[in-house]
Amino acid sequence: ARIERFLQLSEPATIDIAVPSTPANYFHVIRAQALRARKRPLALMGAKALLRHPSAISPIGDFGPGGGFMKIIAGGAEDAAKATGIVFCSGKIYYDLERRRQETGANVRIVRIEQIAPFPQEETVAQLRLSPGAIPVYLQEEPENMGALGYLRPRLEQAMREAGCAQTSLRVVSRPASGSPAGSFHVLHDEDQSNLIDKALNAAVPALQAIESQERS
């Protein structure tokens, strides 16, 4: 599915669009849809790879009473207040990003946006306020002219302003704009994916940004 086309149809509040990345969140978003009194369409976007991904699991307790659909899921750096960056993403790219974060020890928080539309503004602002000095970055697998970027960028930047972030322009990491949603070779796709993840982590590290700025000047 082309999520950007669904997002074009989602205003004003006509379609709910979610990208659940865990079995429990998938269960709870469907349950919530079945129980809601005022019905409207729900579009779920997800990669088939998550059906067999060894890390895409949920404890059985997450399905029971007391649980519910989480619009965003935050993790990463143990001390949120000291994190150097906060990377927003959705879907299966999170698992590759988290694995690389653990390998490198990057002091970066990762926030999965599980509900794209309506955008979880309050929850996003709250996460940004937990890490006042962090550099906000948005990472997506799709080319820059596709995916959820066009919908999310103004909303994330508005959340950054509301949270009082020093940086008001969102740093974006994605594949270059293209006429095709994917390349032709899986090996090249994996290489691009690895480069995207490294670029996202580097973008969230102030020291590396300073070096890049000096090199450009």
Side-chain angles (χ1 to χ4, degrees):
R2 301 293 291 273
I3 190 171
E4 64 271 20
R5 296 178 180 173
F6 281 83
L7 287 167
Q8 289 171 351
L9 300 173
S10 68
E11 299 289 351
T14 54
I15 303 175
D16 287 0
I17 301 173
V19 187
S21 62
T22 69
N25 229 24
Y26 186 88
F27 166 78
H28 283 298
V29 72
I30 292 177
R31 183 176 185 273
Q33 174 73 2
L35 293 176
R36 70 189 304 172
R38 188 175 179 180
K39 304 292 186 183
R40 65 170 175 254
L42 169 66
L44 297 182
M45 305 289 171
K48 296 188 292 295
L50 289 184
L51 296 174
R52 55 185 181 275
H53 199 290
S55 298
I57 57 176
S58 298
I60 191 66
D62 288 357
F63 294 86
F69 177 62
M70 300 174 66
K71 297 179 181 180
I72 61 175
I73 301 177
E78 295 183 3
D79 190 341
K82 295 181 179 179
T84 63
I86 178 168
V87 181
F88 293 93
C89 65
S90 295
K92 70 182 180 66
I93 199 170
Y94 157 77
Y95 293 99
D96 294 334
L97 179 63
E98 173 60 14
R99 185 180 69 251
R100 187 66 57 85
R101 187 198 67 81
Q102 292 180 10
E103 291 172 352
T104 61
N107 186 26
V108 170
R109 297 181 65 223
I110 302 175
V111 175
R112 281 174 275 177
I113 305 176
E114 301 278 291
Q115 177 175 293
I116 307 295
F119 179 69
Q121 189 81 10
E122 293 182 6
E123 293 85 347
T124 302
V125 171
Q127 289 299 324
L128 288 165
R129 286 176 175 164
L130 288 175
S131 305
I135 299 168
V137 178
Y138 178 70
L139 168 66
Q140 72 171 20
E141 295 186 75
E142 296 93 341
E144 188 175 6
N145 58 325
M146 302 180 191
L149 174 60
Y151 177 88
L152 289 177
R153 188 202 295 264
R155 291 163 174 81
L156 283 169
E157 291 184 341
Q158 175 62 31
M160 290 160 61
R161 289 191 291 270
E162 291 182 19
C165 295
Q167 178 181 330
T168 57
S169 179
L170 181 69
R171 290 179 67 91
V172 173
V173 177
S174 67
R175 287 177 166 80
S178 172
S180 172
S184 302
F185 301 100
H186 187 71
V187 173
L188 295 179
H189 171 83
D190 289 345
E191 290 179 1
D192 287 344
Q193 191 89 332
S194 179
N195 291 334
L196 279 178
I197 290 166
D198 287 338
K199 188 175 180 181
L201 291 177
N202 291 343
V205 179
L208 290 174
Q209 286 199 59
I211 293 173
E212 291 175 356
S213 178
Q214 291 176 0
E215 290 178 346
R216 287 194 296 269
S217 61

